[in-house]
Amino acid sequence: MSWALKAEGLGKSFTLHLRGGVTLPVLRGLDLAVAPRECVALAGASGAGKSTLMRCLYGNYGAGSGRILLRHGGAEVDLAAADPRLVREIRRETLGYVSQFLRVIPRVPARDIVAEPLIARGLPREAALRQAEALLTRLNLPARLHELPPATFSGGEQQRVNLARGFAPSYPILLLDEPTASLDAANREVVIGLIAEAKARGTAIVGIFHDTEVRDRVADRIFDVIPIPEAA
Amino acid sequence: MTAPESGYNFAYLDESTKRMIRRAILKGVAIPGHQVPFGSREMPLPYGWGTGGIQVTASILGPADVLKVIDQGADDTTNAVSIRAFFRRVAGVATTERTAEATVIQTRHRIPERPLTENQILVYQVPMPEPLFRLEARVAETRRMHALADYGLMHVRLYEDVARHGRIATSYNYPVMVNGRYLMSPSPIPAFDNPKMHRMPALQLFGAGREKRIYAVPPWTEVRSLDFDDHPFRPIRAPQSCALCGSQESYLDEVLTDDRGGRIFVCSDTDWCAERQAAREAAE
Amino acid sequence: MTPPLLSARGLELRFGRIAALDGVDLDIWPGEVVAIVGESGSGKTTLLRVLSGLMPPDAGEVVFDGQDVLGMSEAARRRLMRTDWGFVHQNPRDGLRMGVSAGGNIGERLMAVGARHYGGIRAQASEWLARVEIDPSRIDALPRTFSGGMQQRLQIARTLVTHPRLVFMDEPTGGLDVSVQARLLDLIRALVAELGLAVLLVTHDIAAARLLAHRILVMRHGRVVEQGLTDRVLDDPQHPYTQLLVASVLAA
């Protein structure tokens, strides 16, 4: 089977130097492969390590062991071993991430936040802004908000800006961390539509969906993240 | 020619001091516009009265020289008269008020109107040799700026002039670039005189006694006044003609004639003015 | 791959018994923003001074665009400083001429590299005032009549007007109110992205580093104890000192 994203023997633990150097293992020997057009939902108890896995897959957390292979620009690269500049390039071209919370950049209007990754990929500014506005409109964000910085937006509005920013560039691989958590039914439908379209384009998706209805409608497969038993 | 005062060496300074000053002059000539430090001596007149110029003159003067001294263009002001008298006494050289006759001309604040020749030397009295001193207070830094030809700051001053006054308002001591390399203070001559420095046939020497610096512009050297392409350097003179000789091209002084606001404009260069008046009378 | 714009290897510098730089290596590529974080005395400002050639190290080498920075003449270094390099000081008084108008401050670098058209210089100064959000009608005002935030923005305009390729910034938001800091950071972020500048930013402000930097170096006692992608260093710090640094500021 062809894959777009593949974790091999992935391990991750945290050493807390401020707490006497205690080490918390979270992931060990994890194998996961995701194909183009496939959406894999991560499941597992709270604290099992779903979010840690997502962050490792994005390179936000450094992998302790194992490899994270991606198809990037026609080649196979190991994100776990990539230098920071390569990680930035992978994130610009190949790998998208929608986190639960928008990290607000002061004074930057919503549509510019959404357009930014498009401009970074070389799209002319005007075209990027048009595309950003179209997507925000589709996510039912009122036009008067497009020009405003999202700092004062509600949680749901911020989440929609975040989603637009993640979906706009059509990354080949997309990581979704609770994308519908603070959305109403109508917007949930929009997101389900966006995911379906992305899959149809060939995007490989890994997601955490607490909303089981959404999960059942978008996921092709469920991957259980199993907690590591406490060492005796 | 009067006999020199006994008890003094020729031209007052001892020979080793003159040699030291001549070495500084030669170095100055070799590096046009570069300020050369020298061991300035105490002279029998106060700083600000031309001690730098006098030491340079004393060091280059020979018995056959003919000396002219002007102050603000005039031969008959106290400073000019007393320096002339000084060299008559200590060197016994001939003096003159005629620009054409002089071989050495010491000046404060003017360049004669009559073009100088290759057989003449012009010695300037300089109060402050450093053109950057109002802009950069650290002497070490100004030296570094000269060493690196880092003169953006000077243009900042001209920019400020234009921004504030709509034109470059500097009307005297207007900075020049010498030989395309060193920024130089022309001493407080009017900007009107600046173009005369450019490719002047005469050797130009500058002496600053209190600041202990000598610099030079060799004959035929390029001397450019700093400016902007769209605000070019313009030598300015009063738009009148001289009340005595009628000159319309010379630099004029404004002279008050009474207590009721009466005024006339006359040539600042007294020799030039006298020559023109004489020529006019002869023609009549 | 393109070579780094600035590259330092094995930098060592001791002040008596204190190691200010202890085996520091660093590369910065075109368009990259690199933050050097650490507490006061960790050696970060010293590193900036050594990299920009202001201070010679005891050992090591610094190469900018193929030129040996430590071996170059003062004249060559100054030429770099007014063309390819820029330096933004923490205190705007160190980077501005307080007795020269805003326009003259911006124009100085242009004139230093040969601009001789007053109208052109003024037009560029005006444009840059607007870019750093200062009313162009203040072009003839003296910097001392500006607020601290405006002075810092003026310093940035003055530095960026000649489009340097590498800008050194030493705590650019250091002396400012928090509200003013946010505006300045955002302005720097936008300009850096727009002009594709490489920036070496020294700061003890982790939030500023997160906002501006692509990459972070954490310094302690003259050593780089940890470095990498900004969000990875800040979200998954490995070294005890980085964990302490992040834990003490990320409460916000």
Side-chain angles (χ1 to χ4, degrees):
Chain A
M1 182 183 103
S2 130
W3 48 265
L5 170 68
K6 182 162 75 168
E8 287 181 346
L10 184 63
K12 178 66 187 170
S13 59
F14 295 94
T15 304
L16 306 181
H17 293 288
L18 303 183
R19 302 214 188 128
V22 61
T23 296
L24 304 175
V26 180
L27 304 173
R28 187 186 295 160
L30 184 141
D31 295 308
L32 166 68
V34 186
R37 300 174 191 278
E38 186 185 29
C39 177
V40 174
L42 302 183
S46 178
K50 300 187 294 292
S51 279
T52 297
L53 173 57
M54 290 286 268
R55 283 167 172 259
C56 285
L57 294 178
Y58 192 58
N60 177 223
Y61 287 175
S65 57
R67 302 198 295 170
I68 298 168
L69 302 175
L70 300 149
R71 297 218 192 273
H72 166 70
E76 191 178 293
V77 296
D78 180 4
L79 185 71
D83 72 20
R85 293 194 309 131
L86 181 56
V87 174
R88 278 178 58 209
E89 187 190 307
I90 291 169
R91 287 179 178 180
R92 186 175 67 232
E93 302 296 336
T94 304
L95 180 63
Y97 181 59
V98 178
S99 63
Q100 286 187 57
F101 303 102
L102 177 68
R103 193 176 282 283
V104 176
I105 306 162
R107 301 204 312 157
V108 180
R111 59 169 201 169
D112 290 77
I113 290 178
V114 176
E116 190 183 71
L118 298 171
I119 294 167
R121 288 172 139 213
L123 201 65
R125 186 176 155 77
E126 285 313 309
L129 289 174
R130 271 201 307 279
Q131 203 174 319
E133 278 174 4
L135 200 49
L136 287 170
T137 303
R138 185 169 168 195
L139 282 156
N140 301 306
L141 195 76
R144 65 185 164 81
L145 295 185
H146 297 183
E147 295 283 347
L148 298 178
T152 55
F153 289 9
S154 72
E157 286 161 349
Q158 289 196 359
Q159 177 65 338
R160 279 177 273 157
V161 174
N162 216 9
L163 283 159
R165 181 177 160 96
F167 276 95
S170 308
Y171 298 108
I173 304 167
L174 198 50
L175 310 173
L176 304 174
D177 190 352
E178 301 271 17
T180 57
S182 42
L183 300 186
D184 58 22
N187 283 310
R188 215 155 43 222
E189 283 305 317
V190 176
V191 174
I192 289 167
L194 286 171
I195 293 173
E197 287 166 26
K199 283 166 67 178
R201 275 196 306 268
T203 303
I205 296 174
V206 180
I208 300 172
F209 306 95
H210 276 179
D211 183 330
T212 48
E213 187 205 325
V214 173
R215 185 180 74 190
D216 293 344
R217 287 178 58 189
V218 301
D220 301 288
R221 171 158 79 86
I222 290 179
F223 181 88
D224 272 312
V225 180
I226 299 155
I228 295 176
E230 290 284 333
Chain B
M1 191 162 139
T2 51
E5 193 93 356
S6 63
Y8 288 106
N9 189 37
F10 177 77
Y12 187 77
L13 291 175
D14 62 86
E15 290 304 314
S16 64
T17 296
K18 287 190 203 169
R19 269 199 297 277
M20 175 269 291
I21 292 174
R22 287 178 200 137
R23 275 196 295 270
I25 291 171
L26 285 174
K27 188 169 174 184
V29 169
I31 316 170
H34 170 62
Q35 301 166 46
V36 183
F38 79 108
S40 181
R41 297 290 188 254
E42 287 298 323
M43 297 302 285
L45 78 168
Y47 289 128
W49 285 65
T51 55
I54 286 178
Q55 291 180 77
V56 170
T57 300
S59 303
I60 60 171
L61 218 50
D65 271 315
V66 179
L67 177 67
K68 171 183 163 82
V69 181
I70 50 171
D71 178 3
Q72 304 272 19
D75 297 86
D76 54 0
T77 54
T78 313
N79 199 219
V81 169
S82 57
I83 292 173
R84 256 196 327 268
F86 173 75
F87 280 113
R88 265 199 313 270
R89 283 177 65 187
V90 299
V93 294
T95 59
T96 181
E97 297 191 358
R98 307 291 301 274
T99 301
E101 288 171 5
T103 56
V104 175
I105 302 169
Q106 180 171 331
T107 177
R108 175 173 176 271
H109 299 189
R110 272 312 308 276
I111 296 175
E113 303 289 357
R114 168 188 278 278
L116 301 183
T117 68
E118 276 174 329
N119 299 321
Q120 294 176 305
I121 299 176
L122 184 59
V123 177
Y124 296 76
Q125 300 172 198
V126 181
M128 169 42 77
E130 180 47 68
L132 297 162
F133 92 109
R134 280 194 195 285
L135 304 169
E136 176 54 69
R138 296 166 295 177
V139 174
E141 178 62 18
T142 59
R143 280 187 205 152
R144 208 169 293 133
M145 290 161 83
H146 284 298
L148 304 172
D150 189 354
Y151 295 135
L153 191 53
M154 194 74 235
H155 266 93
V156 171
R157 187 183 124 190
L158 298 183
Y159 169 93
E160 295 286 283
D161 251 17
V162 181
R164 232 171 266 157
H165 309 289
R167 60 188 167 81
I168 299 175
T170 306
S171 58
Y172 67 95
N173 209 346
Y174 191 109
V176 293
M177 278 299 283
V178 177
N179 203 24
R181 173 59 183 82
Y182 280 95
L183 183 71
M184 190 185 89
S185 160
S187 85
I189 60 172
F192 175 83
D193 281 343
N194 272 23
K196 296 177 186 160
M197 305 180 83
H198 178 58
R199 300 187 56 78
M200 183 191 277
L203 169 65
Q204 304 175 71
L205 302 176
F206 300 77
R210 188 189 50 214
E211 302 296 326
K212 301 177 173 57
R213 291 288 183 281
I214 283 172
Y215 50 101
V217 176
W220 306 106
T221 302
E222 184 176 317
V223 178
R224 298 279 181 201
S225 304
L226 297 188
D227 62 2
F228 290 108
D229 298 344
D230 50 343
H231 285 266
F233 171 82
R234 277 201 197 90
I236 316 158
R237 70 183 283 281
Q240 282 78 4
S241 43
C242 174
L244 301 178
C245 75
S247 169
Q248 295 186 334
E249 62 270 19
S250 66
Y251 191 73
L252 301 177
D253 283 337
E254 187 178 0
V255 180
L256 298 181
T257 53
D258 53 41
D259 292 341
R260 298 182 304 279
R263 63 184 65 185
I264 55 168
F265 287 86
V266 296
C267 289
S268 125
D269 184 335
T270 50
D271 173 55
W272 165 266
C273 196
E275 259 186 46
R276 283 177 53 90
Q277 290 176 61
R280 200 158 61 176
E281 277 164 25
E284 280 167 7
Chain C
M1 253 187 188
T2 53
L5 191 59
L6 184 83
S7 182
R9 287 293 172 273
L11 295 179
E12 305 272 348
L13 181 62
R14 301 189 71 83
F15 297 129
R17 295 175 57 197
I18 298 162
L21 297 177
D22 186 1
V24 174
D25 297 341
L26 179 146
D27 292 302
I28 179 164
W29 276 267
E32 198 181 28
V33 181
V34 175
I36 304 168
V37 301
E39 289 166 352
S40 323
S42 57
K44 50 192 199 303
T45 294
T46 302
L47 177 59
L48 207 60
R49 291 178 63 79
V50 167
L51 291 173
S52 56
L54 289 172
M55 190 187 271
D58 296 337
E61 61 165 23
V62 180
V63 175
F64 173 79
D65 196 22
Q67 309 163 70
D68 173 15
V69 172
L70 304 176
M72 73 174 53
S73 67
E74 167 99 10
R77 198 180 63 75
R78 284 202 173 205
R79 202 171 309 123
L80 268 185
M81 267 295 184
R82 56 182 192 241
T83 53
D84 279 350
W85 287 4
F87 207 112
V88 175
H89 299 264
Q90 171 171 8
N91 187 341
R93 288 177 173 277
D94 296 334
L96 292 175
R97 295 194 186 276
M98 301 305 281
V100 168
S101 70
N105 264 286
I106 298 176
E108 180 172 353
R109 270 173 79 104
L110 294 170
M111 292 185 261
V113 297
R116 293 292 177 263
H117 192 280
Y118 174 83
I121 293 162
R122 201 159 167 85
Q124 283 203 59
S126 209
E127 182 201 322
W128 269 94
L129 284 174
R131 281 179 93 160
V132 298
E133 302 172 15
I134 296 173
D135 181 352
S137 72
R138 302 290 302 274
I139 190 166
D140 294 327
L142 292 178
R144 72 169 75 95
T145 65
F146 289 5
S147 69
M150 281 168 79
Q151 287 180 1
Q152 201 56 301
R153 280 180 273 135
L154 179 61
Q155 190 189 181
I156 286 166
R158 166 184 161 91
T159 307
L160 299 189
V161 65
T162 50
H163 293 267
R165 294 156 74 196
L166 175 62
V167 180
F168 301 95
M169 295 190 183
D170 189 3
E171 303 275 11
T173 58
L176 303 174
D177 292 345
V178 178
S179 59
V180 179
Q181 277 184 15
R183 180 177 185 186
L184 185 68
L185 284 173
D186 180 56
L187 185 76
I188 293 174
R189 199 190 70 90
L191 287 173
V192 161
E194 208 176 301
L195 301 173
L197 299 174
V199 177
L200 201 59
L201 167 77
V202 157
T203 181
H204 65 267
D205 181 351
I206 301 288
R210 186 189 280 277
L211 188 66
L212 292 178
H214 302 125
R215 202 148 58 78
I216 282 188
L217 276 77
V218 182
M219 283 195 75
R220 189 188 194 202
H221 299 333
R223 283 172 179 274
V224 177
V225 295
E226 183 164 359
Q227 60 174 307
L229 207 61
T230 299
D231 63 270
R232 188 184 297 179
V233 170
L234 296 182
D235 294 341
D236 186 17
Q238 302 297 310
H239 191 275
Y241 178 68
T242 316
Q243 291 190 358
L244 180 68
L245 210 58
V246 170
S248 36
V249 289
L250 272 194

